[in-house]
Amino acid sequence: MSHEPYRINESHLQNYVDSPDMQKQLYKRTLLIVVLSQIFGGAGLAAGVTVGALLAQDMLGTESSAGIPAALFTLGSAVAALLVGRLSQRSGRRLGLAAGFITGGIGAIGVVFAAMSHSIVLLLASLFIYGAGTATNLQARYAGTDLARPTQRATAVSIAMVSTTLGTVAGPNLVGVMGKFALSLGVPALAGPFILAAVAYIFAGLVFLGFLRPDPFIVAKAIADIRKDESNSSDVKTNTLTINNRGIIVGATVMILTQIVMIAIMTMTPIHMKHHGHSLGDVGLVIGIHIGSMYLPSLVTGILVDKVGRTAMSFASGGTLLAAGIVAAVAPADSMWGLIFALALLGLGWNFGLISGTALIVDSTDLSSRAKTQGTIDVLIALAGASGGALSGMVVAHSSYATLSLAGGFLSLLLIPVGIWYHSSRKINRSENIPL
C-alpha cells in the first residue's frame, strides 16, 4: 500500500471488514460522487463529439478526413485507458479518474487554441489528449462496482451511466449557445463546445480528487486480502480460471463490437445531415437524443442485466444495433424523425452492450488485477472505436451513408454466437449466483 495517496489505518479498515453497514454506506457514498462527476463528464464528452467532425472538416477542407477527430480522440482514449487503469490499480480510483478527466480538459483547451490559430498540428495533438476524458468517462463506471455484490454490479454501472445523461443531453443542445459565446470571445463558433468540455472535464476531475475518500477500490482490495484465507481447492481454481478467462474474452468482445458499430455510424451522421441541408441545431438535436439514448435507459438496463442475465442482454444489443443500421440506411435523408429514431436505437444498442459487457468483466476479474484489466480492455474498446471512426469517412466517401449503416448493423449480429459460447459455461457460473 506504499503507493496509495490515502491510506486507511488498520483499525479503520477492520471496521469496514467487520461491518456490512459501513460497506453499504461507502458504496452509496461512492455512487453519489460518481453521479456528480459523471454529469459534468458527460457534458465534456458530448460537446466535443457533436462538432468534432465538423471542425476537422472545416479546418482540413475535406470530407474524407471527417472521421479523423473520432479516430484521434479514441486513440487518445486508448492510451489514457491503459494509464488510468494502471494508476487506479496502484493508487486507487481517486487519483486515476481525477488525472484522466483533468488531462481531457487540457486537451479541450488545446482544441480551442488550435481553432483560434488555425493550427492543424495543434488540433490533432489536442484531440488526441482530449480522448483522455472519453476514456475516464467510461472507466468511472467501474468505480461504483468495487463494493457492489455480484447481483448489484450491472445496476451499479447503470447508476453511473444514467447520471451521465444530464450532461450528454445538455452538451449537444448547448452547441448553438456555446458557438455564440465563442464568437463573442473572438473564437470560431465550432470551437465553442470545447470551451464547455474543458470546464466540465476539469470540474469532474476535481470532484473525484476532492471527495472520493476513502477510496472504494483500496477498501475493497484490503477486504479481499484479509478474507483470502478461505478454503479453495486446486480443481476449483482451475475451473474458475477457465470460466473467468472466457468471461473476460466475451465481455471485451461485446463491448468492442458495439463500440465499432456505434462510433462508425454516429461519426458520419452529422456529415450526412449537413449534406442534406440540416442546420447545426438539427445536428445537435439528433446527436443529443442519440447520446441520451446511450445513457438514459441505463437504470432499466442495469436491472435487466442483473435479473435477466448478461447473455440475454448482449443478444438484445445485437438486435437493436441491427435495427438501427437498417433504419439509418432506409430513412429519407431529409427526415429528422427517421434520423432521430435510427440514432436513438443506435444509442440503446450500445447501452445494452456496454452494461452487459462491463458486468461480465467485473464478474470475471479479481481485485488484485481488476482495474488494470479493465483499463487494458478499455484500450481495445478505444482502438475499435478509432478504427470505426477512421474507416467510416472512407466508406461514406467511396460508397454511401446507407452502406455504412447496413454494414454496421449486420456486424452486430456477431454478438449472438459470442453469447452462445459464453452461455455454455452456465452450470459453473450458476453456483456463483452470477446472472448469465
Side-chain angles (χ1 to χ4, degrees):
M1 295 233 190
S2 59
H3 296 289
E4 291 163 5
Y6 180 78
R7 294 188 64 189
I8 303 172
N9 63 50
E10 293 299 325
S11 61
H12 195 194
L13 180 58
Q14 191 61 48
N15 289 338
Y16 280 101
V17 176
D18 296 337
S19 173
D21 287 337
M22 287 187 68
Q23 293 173 32
K24 287 179 183 178
Q25 289 172 6
L26 181 56
Y27 167 66
K28 291 178 181 178
R29 185 169 181 269
T30 298
L31 286 179
L32 181 61
I33 293 165
V34 170
V35 164
L36 179 60
S37 69
Q38 288 297 83
I39 291 173
F40 291 96
L45 167 68
V49 166
T50 304
V51 298
L54 298 175
L55 179 61
Q57 181 184 347
D58 183 60
M59 291 182 66
L60 296 172
T62 171
E63 292 178 1
S64 62
S65 300
I68 288 178
L72 278 172
F73 59 68
T74 46
L75 280 173
S77 72
V79 175
L82 184 65
L83 297 177
V84 170
R86 290 177 183 273
L87 183 57
S88 298
Q89 185 68 53
R90 184 186 68 191
S91 303
R93 303 285 187 192
R94 174 176 165 261
L95 266 191
L97 296 174
F101 271 130
I102 292 171
T103 301
I106 292 170
I109 293 171
V111 172
V112 175
F113 279 105
M116 292 175 65
S117 61
H118 206 78
S119 171
I120 301 299
V121 173
L122 180 58
L123 173 69
L124 300 181
S126 298
L127 285 170
F128 182 82
I129 297 170
Y130 170 75
T134 307
T136 310
N137 193 69
L138 276 177
Q139 287 217 18
R141 74 194 189 277
Y142 290 117
T145 67
D146 292 328
L147 292 170
R149 297 191 305 272
T151 53
Q152 290 179 315
R153 286 169 180 164
T155 303
V157 172
S158 70
I159 290 172
M161 289 183 62
V162 77
S163 61
T164 313
T165 305
L166 293 177
T168 55
V169 172
N173 287 291
L174 289 174
V175 164
V177 174
M178 292 307 300
K180 292 177 182 177
F181 176 70
L183 287 173
S184 72
L185 299 176
V187 176
L190 287 175
F194 284 96
I195 298 175
L196 173 62
V199 173
Y201 274 161
I202 291 172
F203 193 86
L206 293 177
V207 168
F208 276 120
L209 192 62
F211 298 104
L212 199 61
R213 298 170 180 263
D215 192 299
F217 187 69
I218 294 174
V219 171
K221 279 202 299 182
I223 291 172
D225 288 343
I226 290 173
R227 293 175 175 173
K228 238 176 194 178
D229 293 333
E230 295 180 3
S231 63
N232 50 68
S233 67
S234 59
D235 287 341
V236 171
K237 282 184 178 180
T238 300
N239 285 336
T240 301
L241 180 62
T242 300
I243 297 307
N244 284 355
N245 285 341
R246 181 175 292 195
I248 291 171
I249 292 169
V250 172
T253 302
V254 169
M255 290 190 285
I256 286 169
L257 284 174
T258 54
Q259 186 77 352
I260 290 173
V261 175
M262 187 276 291
I263 288 288
I265 298 175
M266 180 195 70
T267 297
M268 294 313 299
T269 297
I271 306 300
H272 175 66
M273 292 180 69
K274 186 178 178 182
H275 274 169
H276 293 88
H278 292 281
S279 68
L280 192 59
D282 290 343
V283 172
L285 176 61
V286 170
I287 297 299
I289 291 173
H290 162 65
I291 298 179
S293 299
M294 289 169 62
Y295 294 97
L296 187 58
S298 295
L299 272 180
V300 175
T301 303
I303 293 170
L304 288 173
V305 172
D306 278 335
K307 299 293 185 183
V308 176
R310 282 60 163 144
T311 308
M313 292 307 294
S314 69
F315 291 166
S317 174
T320 306
L321 289 173
L322 174 62
I326 292 172
V327 173
V330 303
D334 59 353
S335 168
M336 278 290 289
W337 288 111
L339 290 169
I340 286 171
F341 185 45
L343 270 290
L345 286 173
L346 186 70
L348 183 62
W350 179 87
N351 177 272
F352 290 166
L354 188 75
I355 294 181
S356 58
T358 298
L360 275 168
I361 297 301
V362 178
D363 294 342
S364 306
T365 50
D366 184 80
L367 280 162
S368 62
S369 61
R370 178 170 294 166
K372 183 178 176 181
T373 302
Q374 289 164 345
T376 301
I377 290 169
D378 277 4
V379 170
L380 299 176
I381 295 170
L383 290 174
S387 301
L391 291 173
S392 63
M394 298 178 189
V395 171
V396 172
H398 292 90
S399 182
S400 68
Y401 177 77
T403 299
L404 173 71
S405 300
L406 287 174
F410 284 105
L411 179 64
S412 66
L413 290 180
L414 289 175
L415 293 174
I416 294 175
V418 169
I420 291 172
W421 181 61
Y422 175 69
H423 201 71
S424 65
S425 61
R426 183 183 181 91
K427 291 183 179 178
I428 298 177
N429 273 345
R430 185 183 288 171
S431 65
E432 299 172 359
N433 292 319
I434 295 173
L436 290 176

